[in-house]
Amino acid sequence: MALLSPSRRLRRTAFSEGVEAAGVKAYTVYNHMLLPTVFRSVEEDYHHLKQAVQVWDVACERQVELRGPDAGRLAQLLTPRDLRGMLPGQCYYVPIVDETGGMLNDPVAVKLAEDRWWISIADSDLLYWIKGLAYGYRLDVLVDEPDVSPLAVQGPRADDLMAAVFGDAVRDVRFFRFGHFDFQGQDMVVARSGYSKQGGYEIYVEGEHNGMPLWNALMEAGKALDVHAGCPNLIERIESGLLSYGNDMNDDNTPHECGLGRFCNTQTAIGCIGRDALLRVAKEGPVKQIRAIAIDGPPVPACDRWWTLMAGTKPVGRVSSAAWSPDFGTNVAIGMVRMTHWDDGTELTVQAPDGLRHATVHEAFWN
C-alpha cells in the first residue's frame, strides 16, 4: 500500500513521540489524526493485550464539549437514549442519529456537570452537526473541541498499573463511571471504559503538554507488569462485537440495525432529532441487523471493502470487518444480514477477495 503523506491536516497527537519511540509499524487516519494500528504484529499485540497491559494513544477520540445552561437539552437532541437520569460522574454510550434515525456516530458521553458535557466521538465530523443544532435551535450553549487527549490503559493488569500511577483509589471507579485524580498537580478525569473487553481505563488528558509526562510515567511504572504500547486490536474487537463507525455502520443504518436498540428509549427521549423516525423502527423492527459471522478456511485477507454474503445466488448481506482469531481457530467477522437469514447457525457463502468461502451466522459474538 502507498504511504501516507504527513501534513498539518493529518494531526499528530499528544502522545506521538511515545508511540514512535515504541516502534509503531502502522497507522490509520481517524478524525484527521494518526491512530496506531500495529506495534509488533496484529497477532502479537492481540495475545499481549489479553495477558498483560497496554497503553493506547487514542487522542483521535476527539471531544465535543457542550458548556452552558442548555448543554443537557442539546445532548438529548443528539441521541435516542434517555439522558434524564444521567448524573455527573457517569459515562453513557449514546448512539447519535440524524432526522431519519440514521447513525451519525456512536460516542461515549461524559457528564462532567449539569452544564458541562464531553462527547467522546468515533470517526466522523460530529462537531459541525452539533454546532449547527445549537445555532439552529438558538441554544444557550458553547460547542467546541477542547484540548483533551484520551489515553487508554487496557488489559487484565490495567488496575495494577493505574494504581501505581494514580493510587489505589482508582481501583474503586465503577464501570462507565469516572473520577478526578491528581497527576503531578494536574487534575485528570479517569473513566473505567475502553475499546476492548479486557478491562481498563481511559484518561482524559487536558492540555497537550501533559501527554508525554503521563505516557512516560505509565511506561516506567509498568515495567514489572510487562507494559507495552498498544492500540485497538482488530481481532479482539471483532471477537467482542465492538463496532467501528464507518466500518460496520454509517448514516444509512439505524441503531436497531446495529444491535443498539437497548440504547434507544424512544418513548421517553423527548427532543431527540430522530425520535419520530425511530419510533416507527422500534414498532416494526429492523429488516437487517449486525451479526457475528464465522468464515471457514485459512486466514482471510484484509477487509477494506464490503464482502457480499450470499444464500445460493441471492445477496442477503455483507461483511464489514474480518480477521483470523488465533484463540477461536476461525475467521471472525462482523456482518449486516437480512432478517430472512440472520438466525443462529444459518449457512451462507461470502465473496472474499481470495474466492468464495463458507460462512455461518452466530447469534452471539465470541467474547
Side-chain angles (χ1 to χ4, degrees):
M1 182 178 287
L3 297 175
L4 290 171
S5 297
S7 73
R8 278 286 302 138
R9 290 184 296 104
L10 180 55
R11 296 159 57 188
R12 291 168 59 82
T13 80
F15 316 107
S16 288
E17 180 185 325
V19 165
E20 291 161 357
V24 63
K25 290 183 178 176
Y27 291 104
T28 189
V29 179
Y30 196 103
N31 283 327
H32 313 287
M33 298 189 85
L34 293 166
L35 171 62
T37 56
V38 182
F39 281 87
R40 288 175 288 181
S41 73
V42 175
E43 285 201 11
E44 286 181 272
D45 294 346
Y46 161 86
H47 288 302
H48 181 264
L49 172 61
K50 289 189 168 187
Q51 296 165 1
V53 61
Q54 296 180 351
V55 178
W56 295 1
D57 173 4
V58 285
C60 61
E61 294 173 0
R62 303 312 295 163
Q63 307 305 299
V64 178
E65 182 167 314
L66 318 180
R67 189 166 73 249
D70 288 333
R73 182 185 171 195
L74 178 55
Q76 188 64 81
L77 279 171
L78 301 173
T79 180
R81 184 165 185 181
D82 190 341
L83 303 180
R84 289 178 301 171
M86 187 178 181
L87 300 173
Q90 288 186 299
C91 309
Y92 272 19
Y93 180 75
V94 288
I96 302 291
V97 298
D98 64 14
E99 73 283 358
T100 71
M103 294 272 293
L104 295 179
N105 207 283
D106 67 325
V108 172
V110 180
K111 188 172 182 179
L112 300 165
E114 292 296 338
D115 61 352
R116 190 181 181 208
W117 300 61
W118 286 340
I119 310 296
S120 187
I121 66 172
D123 187 22
S124 78
D125 290 312
L126 195 66
L127 174 67
Y128 305 118
W129 169 257
I130 299 176
K131 276 182 171 288
L133 291 180
Y135 179 77
Y137 279 84
R138 298 293 194 269
L139 299 180
D140 186 3
V141 61
L142 174 67
V143 179
D144 204 0
E145 180 184 307
D147 182 10
V148 174
S149 299
L151 186 68
V153 177
Q154 301 287 298
R157 298 181 180 177
D159 277 29
D160 292 338
L161 176 54
M162 289 293 288
V165 173
F166 290 99
D168 279 332
V170 78
R171 299 178 188 271
D172 297 328
V173 177
R174 293 160 54 193
F175 184 62
F176 262 50
R177 298 286 184 117
F178 68 83
H180 293 266
F181 293 87
D182 177 78
F183 174 74
Q184 297 181 358
Q186 177 72 35
D187 177 72
M188 292 192 180
V189 170
V190 177
R192 189 178 288 275
S193 58
Y195 195 53
S196 86
K197 286 290 183 74
Q198 305 312 308
Y201 301 80
E202 290 178 300
I203 309 160
Y204 293 81
V205 182
E206 289 194 72
E208 186 171 336
H209 62 283
N210 291 309
M212 283 311 301
L214 178 59
W215 176 282
N216 291 333
L218 288 165
M219 286 299 181
E220 182 63 29
K223 285 180 178 178
L225 302 171
D226 189 28
V227 68
H228 280 265
C231 52
N233 185 270
L234 175 68
I235 306 168
E236 195 270 347
R237 84 157 182 89
I238 296 174
E239 289 177 354
S240 304
L242 298 176
L243 305 184
S244 169
Y245 186 84
N247 272 320
D248 304 312
M249 73 284 205
N250 56 31
D251 59 0
D252 290 330
N253 304 119
T254 67
H256 297 80
E257 291 176 348
C258 302
L260 304 175
R262 64 190 182 281
F263 299 110
C264 296
N265 315 110
T266 42
Q267 293 290 342
T268 57
I270 307 300
C272 169
I273 289 288
R275 179 171 177 263
D276 289 347
L278 289 178
L279 281 169
R280 292 191 296 271
V281 173
K283 182 179 179 180
E284 299 168 6
V287 298
K288 58 185 178 181
Q289 198 168 59
I290 290 284
R291 284 293 186 273
I293 310 289
I295 301 175
D296 290 355
V300 290
C303 184
D304 62 353
R305 61 206 69 191
W306 287 324
W307 301 347
T308 303
L309 285 165
M310 309 286 291
T313 59
K314 179 183 178 183
V316 295
R318 67 194 188 202
V319 167
S320 52
S321 298
W324 173 259
S325 167
D327 282 1
F328 293 96
T330 188
N331 292 290
V332 295
I334 296 172
M336 185 77 73
V337 187
R338 293 193 63 81
M339 65 183 300
T340 51
H341 293 81
W342 71 26
D343 289 342
D344 184 47
T346 301
E347 297 186 2
L348 301 172
T349 301
V350 60
Q351 294 180 338
D354 58 355
L356 298 178
R357 302 268 195 125
H358 178 263
T360 306
V361 177
H362 285 227
E363 184 175 1
F365 285 89
W366 289 265
N367 278 345

